[in-house]
Amino acid sequence: MNRKSNQKERRRGLTLFLSIVLVFCILGAVVHQVARRITREMSASAIQNLSESLDLIQCTIEAILHSEAEFQALIAQEIARVEDPEAYVRTYERNQTVSKMALILAGRAEGISNTGERFTEEGLDFSAGGTVNGMPVSQSYINHMGTWSYTIKCPVERDGRTIGTLYAEYVYDAVDRALPGGFYNKQASLYIMDAESRRFVLKPKGMGQRNAGHLNLADFYRANSIQDAAIQAEVEDCLEQGENILFYHDIRGRNALNYMWPVNGGTVFLVGYVPVEAIQQEGRAVNQNIFIVVAAMLIAFLLCVLFYYLSWRQQNKLHREQEEERRLHSQQLSEALRAAQIASESKTTFLSNMSHDIRTPMNAVLGFTTLLATDAENPAKVRAYTKKIVASGQHLLSLINDILDVSKIESGKVVLNLEEFALNDVVSSVEAIIQPMAKAKGQAFHLEVTGVRHEYLVGDETRINQILINLLSNAVKYTPEGGSIWLRIIGLKQRSSQYEHIRIEVEDNGYGMTPEYLEIIFDAFTRAENSTTNKVQGTGLGMAITKSIVELMGGTIKVSSEVNRGSLFQVDLELRVQEAQADRQFWEQRGISCVLLVDGDPESRENILALTEDTGIRLMAVSGSEEAAAWMGGGGDCQLALLDWESCGLPAALALRELLPENVPMVLLAELDGEGVEEALGRLSPAAVLTKPFFVSAFREKASELWAEPGEVLLPEAGAPADLRGLRFLAAEDNAINAEILAELLEIEGASCEIVENGRLALERFQRAAEGEFDAILMDVQMPVMNGHEASRAIRALERADAASIPIIAMTANAFAEDEKAALDAGMSAHVAKPLDMELLRRVIRQCTMKERS
């Protein structure tokens, strides 16, 4: 029933709407016809007005010509009465109308003029036959003043005979002054044209739009695109016959009515045009008034319809609201069902991907473990199986870390840990990880840092490391053996002095990616699939994590790639500059005020100069040993020399060593594992090696090694041990298996370890230990009785000399950045995630113990 009622209401509304549209159409058609008729009538009236205006101008010009002729006839009569006509002409003064008066007596070929010069009729053309009051009129010409003029000649008669001919030169300016100020609101164009020469002799002021370039009729045709041969032929006929003509033609894209109107029997013509819109202006005004009246009527009609519509709408409002509520409820149920289906599909897809990716390395671990039991007596196979188990376990661990990272990012629980860090530390740690990976595949790893003005920045160092390692490890994986990988850190133009704008570029010449894959590269669980990369293992989460971290930092990431040509990733970040980062006191305490830089690469010299700008030391930069010798020979003095090994080499280094005093150390700036560097150190002593790229913080650390105390220069100890041999550790570990693994690994490294089961026991054992008995404490975090954080705080609070300085290293399965921050906040020295990476543990322990000793 309700449906039928709704349909009936709709039909009624549609009928009303169609009726309104029909009324509007009829009314519009009537108004349109009336407007067209009014426009036509007003246009015809305007054309009549134009003709009358032109007739008026024609009569004005002809009246001027007749008055000039009558005036000249009176002058001729006056000359006839005087005894000396030539003297009369000489004394005649020029005026605004007559610019020149001349007389040629009968029987003579030349005469005199009021300008004092001889006068002949030569140059005046009376052949056209034009006359005014029976007096011949010449063609128009430009007189000696540069003004368009014409001459009328009149006979001078005395006693019935002609005694001479009077010539009077008139300028068209008199005509200009007599013409009206304009017509059709100064939109009309008016020229005066000499009929015989077709030249435009007058362009009156204030008569509308004119172009000074119109010199003659042909130029007028060309400028206004009047190229129709039929129109030109009709115009020529009218000029020959001395008749007027009106024709329509577009002038500069506007429809215009063109005219040519004869004056004085066709000796001159009025030439010009009037835009049609100017002619129809009055008609448009009438039409506008009509439209206003019609619009008022329509508005009144629409208001009536609106009131009716509002009444009808009010009656049906409740019904529509009920229908909308039911529709909305149904839509919400449909959307909820769709969301549930999508969630179910996503869950299924995720579990399917994870099932495959987790089972693959787990199958390898279990399979090779079974083979270990079978081939336990074969050492070669045991070593091979163990190596493969470790590789599969590392892959499984990276997969789990990626899943946890994605989970935290998507849940919004990732918080950036903004702290001061040195760009040198980031580059060094990344290079230490990537360089061995690249060497294992025979790849060349290139590292460049250019244009960076500030080394100490504020940001999340751990997350920046994660970005770099994700991009570089992918570059290593997807680049074949013997390929090349580039890491560039480029300083861009700063948008603010408080922020360093840097670009990180990771480029390789590996397999590359297809355009289709580039569109989804940052989606989770996507990997490039082709015959060359299918063997590469990975979760497909690395790029999704990297993009999320970059955007969390307010940066951007983009990628370009070509198949078999390589890929280029670009990450742009803005990191706040740490204030008061230059430690001038460090250099002053060691008496270092000037450093000699020898570098053959101009760009490298500029980069080092920019980085040392705020350190308080003066950097003398030269390109080679010859320039260095010249500088030192001129009285130059330095306390430290920095030499670029790649651009200078051993000969330049030996030459510089001869120039420097014995107590001035040399620092060789070289690539990691630079060829011949270690052998050269003995010949250049005192000397040390600084790994590229150059950073002030690394330079300071190297200076600290050379100056153990202010003013004291030491030779660096060669061959510092890289292992843990002879070190003794206290370890807190509640898991027996993990404790056994840790003890065995340390024993292999030549170190000893005492293990306790929780943090309370670790605290008590350290209290009982003699000072220096332990080199470091290895602390698990999640333990019964007292966890690692509480134990670390308690140890740091003890009143003994080594409580504040002994290294405490967190070893825990909590591997996120927040966990590392919590460990450092609790007083721990470093953080190492489980499962243990012995290389990483060895490096961290060595760094911590070296710092504690120094």
Side-chain angles (χ1 to χ4, degrees):
M1 186 68 180
N2 289 336
R3 184 178 299 175
K4 291 182 179 179
S5 177
N6 291 340
Q7 291 177 352
K8 186 176 180 181
E9 289 292 336
R10 291 194 189 95
R11 284 196 296 270
R12 224 164 78 188
L14 180 61
T15 302
L16 177 62
F17 174 76
L18 293 176
S19 301
I20 294 172
V21 171
L22 181 60
V23 170
F24 271 81
C25 291
I26 295 173
L27 186 59
V30 172
V31 171
H32 179 67
Q33 291 298 325
V34 171
R36 288 188 61 184
R37 184 167 60 83
I38 291 175
T39 299
R40 288 195 299 269
E41 292 176 356
M42 295 299 293
S43 296
S45 176
I47 293 173
Q48 181 63 31
N49 290 338
L50 174 62
S51 299
E52 293 174 358
S53 297
L54 293 174
D55 286 339
L56 178 61
I57 295 173
Q58 173 192 17
C59 293
T60 300
I61 296 174
E62 290 179 346
I64 292 172
L65 294 175
H66 287 298
S67 65
E68 291 173 347
E70 291 173 356
F71 172 76
Q72 188 170 346
L74 291 174
I75 295 295
Q77 293 175 8
E78 184 70 21
I79 291 173
R81 288 194 293 268
V82 299
E83 293 181 1
D84 188 356
E86 292 184 342
Y88 181 89
V89 171
R90 289 193 188 97
T91 58
Y92 186 84
E93 295 182 358
R94 288 181 291 177
N95 53 47
Q96 292 182 348
T97 304
V98 180
S99 62
K100 186 177 182 180
M101 186 76 74
L103 175 66
I104 299 178
L105 295 176
R108 297 183 183 178
E110 62 178 29
I112 53 90
S113 68
N114 62 343
T115 60
E117 58 187 11
R118 305 302 297 170
F119 177 80
T120 65
E121 192 175 320
E122 183 180 356
L124 298 177
D125 186 357
F126 294 93
S127 62
T131 61
V132 179
N133 290 353
M135 302 178 187
V137 180
S138 70
Q139 290 187 21
S140 301
Y141 59 90
I142 297 177
N143 65 9
H144 65 284
M145 296 184 296
T147 304
W148 279 101
S149 309
Y150 58 91
T151 297
I152 300 177
K153 67 180 180 178
C154 172
V156 180
E157 296 178 349
R158 179 188 296 171
D159 299 331
R161 65 184 181 84
T162 301
I163 65 172
T165 304
L166 178 65
Y167 297 84
E169 181 181 85
Y170 302 92
V171 295
Y172 279 98
D173 290 344
V175 177
D176 189 10
R177 290 190 294 272
L179 291 178
F183 57 101
Y184 284 103
N185 294 326
K186 296 186 179 181
Q187 296 186 60
S189 170
L190 174 66
Y191 301 92
I192 296 180
M193 181 184 74
D194 182 80
E196 186 67 22
S197 64
R198 306 291 200 267
R199 296 293 297 271
F200 288 173
V201 298
L202 183 63
K203 305 166 189 175
K205 300 180 179 64
M207 295 301 290
Q209 301 178 3
R210 297 179 304 281
N211 189 332
H214 296 170
L215 303 177
N216 52 42
L217 183 60
D219 186 41
F220 182 80
Y221 284 160
R222 181 172 55 258
N224 297 311
S225 301
I226 304 176
Q227 305 297 334
D228 191 332
I231 293 178
Q232 293 185 9
E234 187 177 356
V235 169
E236 289 295 326
D237 290 342
C238 292
L239 293 176
E240 294 293 335
Q241 302 297 328
E243 299 176 351
N244 55 23
I245 181 174
L246 293 171
F247 62 91
Y248 285 100
H249 185 76
D250 288 348
I251 304 296
R252 301 191 191 95
R254 301 169 65 191
N255 191 17
L257 180 61
N258 296 259
Y259 60 84
M260 292 196 178
W261 219 258
V263 178
N264 192 36
T267 57
V268 293
F269 274 79
L270 301 177
V271 180
Y273 59 86
V274 181
V276 172
E277 61 184 22
I279 296 175
Q280 297 177 346
Q281 185 171 359
E282 295 179 0
R284 284 199 305 273
V286 174
N287 289 336
Q288 287 175 358
N289 292 331
I290 293 175
F291 285 135
I292 290 173
V293 173
V294 172
M297 295 174 57
L298 291 177
I299 291 173
F301 179 72
L302 287 173
L303 287 175
C304 294
V305 173
L306 178 62
F307 291 146
Y308 173 80
Y309 171 73
L310 291 176
S311 175
W312 173 79
R313 183 180 179 183
Q314 187 66 27
Q315 295 174 2
N316 294 277
K317 182 178 181 180
L318 179 61
H319 176 72
R320 290 198 307 273
E321 288 178 351
Q322 292 173 347
E323 286 291 331
E324 179 64 20
E325 185 177 353
R326 283 194 294 269
R327 187 194 64 78
L328 182 60
H329 182 64
S330 175
Q331 181 179 353
Q332 290 175 344
L333 290 176
S334 176
E335 290 177 353
L337 176 61
R338 179 59 183 161
Q341 291 173 344
I342 293 173
S344 177
E345 292 173 0
S346 299
K347 179 181 178 181
T348 302
T349 302
F350 175 81
L351 291 176
S352 176
N353 287 334
M354 286 303 93
S355 174
H356 174 269
D357 286 342
I358 291 176
R359 285 176 181 274
T360 300
M362 184 58 70
N363 179 66
V365 171
L366 295 177
F368 284 115
T369 304
T370 303
L371 293 175
L372 275 178
T374 304
D375 298 320
E377 303 301 327
N378 189 333
K381 288 188 176 182
V382 168
R383 283 192 294 270
Y385 296 158
T386 305
K387 184 177 180 181
K388 293 175 181 178
I389 290 172
V390 170
S392 298
Q394 291 290 348
H395 174 57
L396 184 60
L397 178 62
S398 68
L399 175 62
I400 294 171
N401 287 338
D402 284 349
I403 294 171
L404 295 177
D405 254 343
V406 167
S407 176
K408 289 179 74 74
I409 289 172
E410 290 181 348
S411 64
K413 294 181 179 180
V414 173
V415 179
L416 295 178
N417 179 26
L418 301 180
E419 292 182 345
E420 179 187 355
F421 70 94
L423 198 58
N424 171 54
D425 295 339
V426 173
V427 173
S428 299
S429 60
V430 170
E431 185 180 24
I433 294 172
I434 300 301
Q435 190 71 259
M437 295 172 58
K439 282 188 176 181
K441 293 186 67 174
Q443 296 168 344
F445 178 60
H446 306 278
L447 177 59
E448 300 174 11
V449 179
T450 57
V452 178
R453 298 185 58 84
H454 303 90
E455 180 185 346
Y456 293 93
L457 305 170
V458 176
D460 193 328
E461 181 180 1
T462 302
R463 292 298 182 184
I464 294 175
N465 269 328
Q466 188 175 1
I467 293 171
L468 291 172
I469 291 173
N470 277 351
L471 295 176
L472 288 168
S473 61
N474 273 354
V476 173
K477 283 193 285 186
Y478 291 100
T479 300
E481 293 186 3
S484 296
I485 297 164
W486 293 266
L487 169 60
R488 306 184 190 95
I489 299 180
I490 305 168
L492 303 179
K493 183 179 180 181
Q494 291 178 262
R495 298 188 180 99
S496 168
S497 60
Q498 298 179 346
Y499 287 86
E500 181 76 25
H501 190 190
I502 64 173
R503 170 170 293 171
I504 299 170
E505 289 187 351
V506 175
E507 185 177 7
D508 63 71
N509 57 359
Y511 303 125
M513 293 172 279
T514 62
E516 295 77 16
Y517 180 67
L518 286 177
E519 296 180 2
I520 60 170
I521 184 174
F522 294 114
D523 295 343
F525 303 106
T526 58
R527 290 201 300 265
E529 300 291 341
N530 58 55
S531 59
T532 59
T533 62
N534 282 343
K535 60 184 179 180
V536 178
Q537 293 182 334
T539 63
L541 294 172
M543 287 298 98
I545 294 171
T546 300
K547 185 174 186 293
S548 299
I549 295 174
V550 169
E551 292 177 347
L552 190 63
M553 291 182 175
T556 60
I557 181 171
K558 58 183 179 181
V559 57
S560 58
S561 181
E562 291 184 36
V563 177
N564 297 325
R565 297 287 296 274
S567 304
L568 172 63
F569 288 84
Q570 290 181 329
V571 177
D572 285 3
L573 296 174
E574 284 192 291
L575 301 172
R576 189 159 59 86
V577 175
Q578 179 66 23
E579 297 179 2
Q581 57 180 283
D583 187 4
R584 297 171 179 263
Q585 187 177 4
F586 171 85
W587 305 102
E588 292 173 358
Q589 287 178 346
R590 286 156 178 79
I592 302 175
S593 60
C594 179
V595 174
L596 174 62
L597 170 63
V598 183
D599 192 339
D601 184 359
E603 185 177 353
S604 175
R605 290 200 302 270
E606 290 296 325
N607 188 49
I608 296 175
L609 284 169
L611 287 172
T612 56
E613 185 177 355
D614 298 329
T615 59
I617 58 175
R618 184 168 66 93
L619 196 69
M620 182 61 198
V622 297
S623 61
S625 57
E626 294 181 358
E627 288 188 23
W631 177 72
M632 296 185 70
D637 182 34
C638 64
Q639 294 79 42
L640 185 63
L642 180 64
L643 180 136
D644 184 79
W645 180 256
E646 276 72 22
S647 63
C648 297
L650 183 60
L654 292 174
L656 181 63
R657 180 72 272 173
E658 292 294 327
L659 294 171
L660 295 172
E662 292 183 359
N663 63 336
V664 174
M666 285 181 60
V667 176
L668 302 181
L669 186 60
E671 298 284 352
L672 185 66
D673 299 332
E675 185 178 354
V677 176
E678 293 297 332
E679 292 80 1
L681 289 178
R683 303 175 62 180
L684 301 173
S685 180
V689 179
L690 180 63
T691 304
K692 285 187 175 182
F694 176 85
F695 285 104
V696 173
S697 59
F699 189 40
R700 283 184 51 187
E701 290 181 6
K702 195 58 62 176
S704 297
E705 295 177 7
L706 295 169
W707 275 268
E709 296 294 336
E712 179 184 359
V713 180
L714 299 178
L715 288 175
E717 296 181 8
D723 56 27
L724 308 179
R725 196 176 308 279
L727 299 181
R728 178 170 172 79
F729 300 97
L730 172 62
E733 175 59 71
D734 64 322
N735 186 286
I737 296 177
N738 288 342
E740 182 180 356
I741 293 173
L742 176 62
E744 291 294 335
L745 290 175
L746 290 175
E747 184 178 351
I748 294 172
E749 295 294 326
S752 61
C753 178
E754 182 176 337
I755 298 176
V756 295
E757 295 180 357
N758 56 60
R760 171 67 64 183
L761 295 177
L763 173 63
E764 294 173 353
R765 179 66 183 89
F766 182 72
Q767 287 176 313
R768 297 195 305 270
E771 200 169 309
E773 180 178 349
F774 295 110
D775 294 291
I777 300 175
L778 307 179
M779 184 76 71
D780 190 13
V781 173
Q782 294 185 358
M783 295 182 293
V785 184
M786 178 182 283
N787 64 37
H789 294 163
E790 295 171 346
S792 297
R793 291 190 184 95
I795 291 173
R796 295 301 187 203
L798 292 176
E799 294 182 359
R800 50 184 289 174
D802 59 345
S805 60
I806 186 170
I808 304 177
I809 300 169
M811 293 195 312
T812 173
N814 300 333
F816 291 111
E818 303 90 282
D819 302 317
E820 181 176 358
K821 183 178 183 301
L824 297 177
D825 291 343
M828 297 184 178
S829 307
H831 178 278
V832 177
K834 292 179 181 178
L836 291 179
D837 181 343
M838 202 57 207
E839 180 65 30
L840 176 61
L841 179 62
R842 186 187 303 115
R843 185 168 63 251
V844 170
I845 291 175
R846 192 66 196 173
Q847 289 174 352
C848 292
T849 54
M850 289 281 289
K851 287 181 181 179
E852 192 271 336
R853 288 178 180 178
S854 62

